[in-house]
Amino acid sequence: MKNSVLGNVTEWKRSHYIILSEIIKDELSEAEELKGGKRFEIGNTISHVTLQRFFENDYQDKTHNDLRFLKTLDKICIFLGFKDLNAYILSIKDKKPENEEPTVEEFLTQMVYNYCSTVFEFYKKFPDHKTELFKDLVFDGSPFLERATQFSKELCDREFQLVTKNNRSNFEVFDIHVVTDEPDKKILESQEFWNLLFKVGETGEEHFVNQLNTQIYFIRKIDNVWKIWDNYNPDAGRLNNKK
């Protein structure tokens, strides 16, 4: 872009967004991150209209909850040299000076990201039931851990297996913010998109999860340690009801 006309423009017009759209298309067509299945999942183009709306902040709140918006963010992040949106978010957090301690809000926001990544790793181990993966993130004896253990154990007993080949299963987490801020209790809200494909045992029966929802995390400090105590997920147990 530095070598194109775009690098010397102070006020962009429609034609400049058309040029940027073509540049992004050319770059993404060669991107390793879009080799194979992910190219078909999110595509490798962004229209000039979408780019203009994005950079001119012409998105409404409801648009941010649209799966197409997440795919656009994914493609922009890949264009910028990151694996995906989550990788970009983590890189921003890693740029914090080493001698500067993260705030409690930053620490707990990272905890939600880490929890979602751990959930995905937990699913990848099915039908092995490895709840010990959550020991650093969720309090033992918490209502959240008890519910999650029960739901996941049922799926493992039914021999659910997560399909990850060609990026068939993936997730995105965005827009995490603090709702309640008390000395020993924080409530965080996040927007999460989960796209999961499970196959069942030898039958090969398929179960899909494709959902974008708002989740609420109740995080407490006990004995000077912050961990997740409870969670509100409107789709919890959804797979358990599919027999």
Side-chain angles (χ1 to χ4, degrees):
M1 284 183 56
K2 290 180 180 179
N3 298 324
S4 74
V5 66
L6 302 182
N8 300 311
V9 175
T10 55
E11 185 175 349
W12 281 36
K13 297 185 166 58
R14 177 176 174 273
S15 60
H16 298 112
Y17 291 105
I18 293 175
I19 294 171
L20 178 58
S21 176
E22 289 299 315
I23 292 173
I24 290 176
K25 179 173 126 181
D26 290 343
E27 289 288 328
L28 293 185
S29 66
E30 301 296 328
E32 286 296 324
E33 291 79 6
L34 288 179
K35 300 292 184 186
K38 191 158 187 178
R39 179 185 298 270
F40 297 101
E41 179 196 341
I42 70 173
N44 67 335
T45 61
I46 305 177
S47 76
H48 70 275
V49 175
T50 298
L51 288 169
Q52 187 166 1
R53 291 176 61 205
F54 180 80
F55 286 107
E56 292 180 354
N57 296 316
D58 192 27
Y59 274 92
Q60 303 297 321
D61 287 341
K62 64 180 181 181
T63 313
H64 289 213
N65 289 332
D66 192 322
L67 177 56
R68 290 171 298 177
F69 179 74
L70 290 179
K71 290 181 177 180
T72 296
L73 292 180
D74 242 355
K75 285 183 279 192
I76 289 175
C77 291
I78 292 171
F79 172 68
L80 294 174
F82 298 91
K83 180 182 177 183
D84 53 24
L85 175 61
N86 283 340
Y88 170 76
I89 292 170
L90 291 174
S91 76
I92 294 300
K93 297 181 180 302
D94 289 341
K95 288 182 179 178
K96 196 173 185 69
E98 293 183 4
N99 59 352
E100 187 176 345
E101 289 293 324
T103 65
V104 172
E105 180 176 344
E106 290 171 333
F107 171 74
L108 297 178
T109 298
Q110 186 62 49
M111 180 183 292
V112 173
Y113 283 119
N114 292 345
Y115 170 75
C116 291
S117 296
T118 302
V119 169
F120 193 66
E121 291 302 313
F122 179 61
Y123 290 154
K124 286 164 65 175
K125 296 186 181 300
F126 276 19
D128 291 335
H129 194 233
K130 302 287 186 180
T131 54
E132 61 270 20
L133 293 175
F134 300 109
K135 65 179 181 180
D136 294 328
L137 295 166
V138 182
F139 279 114
D140 286 339
S142 64
F144 182 28
L145 186 60
E146 290 181 7
R147 285 199 312 275
T149 298
Q150 177 183 346
F151 288 150
S152 58
K153 184 65 167 59
E154 290 180 7
L155 299 181
C156 286
D157 289 344
R158 292 164 59 189
E159 298 188 347
F160 269 55
Q161 300 172 29
L162 186 68
V163 178
T164 57
K165 187 177 180 180
N166 294 327
N167 201 41
R168 291 296 302 276
S169 297
N170 48 72
F171 71 99
E172 298 287 353
V173 185
F174 62 103
D175 194 22
I176 300 176
H177 64 277
V178 176
V179 177
T180 299
D181 186 358
E182 298 179 7
D184 296 325
K185 181 180 71 175
K186 314 288 183 186
I187 299 178
L188 276 68
E189 180 181 274
S190 71
Q191 297 292 317
E192 300 177 14
F193 170 67
W194 291 89
N195 179 54
L196 307 172
L197 169 61
F198 289 95
K199 286 193 175 181
V200 182
E202 297 181 356
T203 69
E205 179 186 358
E206 294 185 340
H207 292 275
F208 293 92
V209 173
N210 188 274
Q211 60 194 35
L212 176 65
N213 60 32
T214 300
Q215 294 202 35
I216 308 293
Y217 293 87
F218 302 85
I219 303 176
R220 295 177 57 185
K221 183 168 73 171
I222 300 177
D223 295 332
N224 210 34
V225 175
W226 287 101
K227 288 187 183 181
I228 299 171
W229 178 257
D230 210 345
N231 160 272
Y232 170 70
N233 174 1
D235 296 299
R238 176 179 175 180
L239 283 175
N240 299 74
N241 296 325
K242 294 183 177 182
K243 301 298 184 180

